[in-house]
Amino acid sequence: MTITHHLDDATLMSFAAGSLPGTLAAVAAAHVSMCSRCRAEVAVHERMGAALLSEIAPQKLEAQLQPSAPSAGSGDVRQLQPIERMIGGQLEGVRWRWIGPGLWHRPLACTGGGALQLIKAAPGASVPDHTHGGSELTLVLRGALVDETGTYKPGDVADLDESVQHTPVADSGVGCICLIANEQPTQFRGALARLMQHWHGL
Ligand SMILES: [Zn+2]
């Protein structure tokens, strides 16, 4: 697994401080479990937070802030465990609910407000044009997703704030399964999208 899209600095800092809203924290934790780079960043922020609290000497702080070397072997099956805990089993066993042409979802329970769901998209299917109230984190688990901000493969996370309006499309060959957290309900644009939202409570 080669991860090229990461959590942004503000998200990493909030995650390390424990102040990220529940649904976003769940997706951030899943990405961090797969990504050695973000794990190292979180460790730096955690040490920085601890250092600020304990007011340790600056030179000691500097020594503690050196990121640890990334560990090899990221992306093996063992690192999918946080996802399996979230969905209560294997991804292959998920009971999907149809929400539109080539699209299925599975809402997941999560404390802390916002919305957390798995989305499965058939090859070439697009998630309706939408904007976000607050932040949105999308973690690709299978296949690939393409939007205006790039191509996302397994382990990649799209860390988008409310200023971004996008139309993600599943890879034309293999489709996509992803885990999406929204800080607030998603606002779809267009009549069909709004109808889907009304019918299915997206
Ligand atoms: Zn990362």
Side-chain angles (χ1 to χ4, degrees):
M1 188 185 294
T2 304
I3 295 175
T4 54
H5 295 276
H6 299 274
L7 297 166
D8 70 27
D9 282 345
T11 304
L12 283 166
M13 203 177 294
S14 299
F15 178 69
S19 59
L20 205 59
T23 53
L24 300 180
V27 176
H31 173 78
V32 166
S33 76
M34 300 174 189
C35 177
S36 55
R37 174 176 144 175
C38 286
R39 262 202 309 281
E41 291 289 324
V42 167
V44 167
H45 286 302
E46 283 175 346
R47 284 198 290 269
M48 197 185 297
L52 289 172
L53 286 174
S54 62
E55 294 182 351
I56 61 174
Q59 57 271 38
K60 194 174 172 190
L61 174 62
E62 197 177 323
Q64 288 198 1
L65 291 182
Q66 297 303 319
S68 50
S71 59
S74 62
D76 62 21
V77 172
R78 183 169 40 79
Q79 289 168 330
L80 280 176
Q81 280 179 351
I83 301 284
E84 290 171 0
R85 278 201 299 275
M86 232 178 280
I87 64 181
Q90 301 272 330
L91 208 49
E92 288 69 22
V94 169
R95 291 198 308 276
W96 297 100
R97 182 178 167 195
W98 184 84
I99 53 170
L103 281 178
W104 297 261
H105 86 148
R106 179 77 194 165
L108 299 175
C110 187
T111 55
L116 182 66
Q117 61 181 324
L118 288 165
I119 290 271
K120 182 167 78 165
S126 64
V127 176
D129 198 6
H130 65 283
T131 54
H132 322 115
S135 298
E136 176 185 88
L137 287 181
T138 301
L139 175 67
V140 174
L141 302 175
R142 298 274 195 278
L145 197 63
V146 181
D147 76 0
E148 294 85 340
T149 62
T151 297
Y152 297 82
K153 294 182 175 172
D156 283 336
V157 68
D159 190 345
L160 304 176
D161 66 21
E162 56 199 341
S163 67
V164 179
Q165 176 193 327
H166 67 145
T167 313
V169 178
D171 179 89
S172 59
V174 292
C176 184
I177 295 177
C178 53
L179 177 67
I180 303 181
N182 290 97
E183 194 173 359
Q184 293 166 26
T186 303
Q187 302 297 317
F188 288 105
R189 296 162 64 88
L192 175 64
R194 282 199 298 274
L195 268 177
M196 280 173 53
Q197 187 166 29
H198 177 69
W199 288 339
H200 299 290
L202 268 179

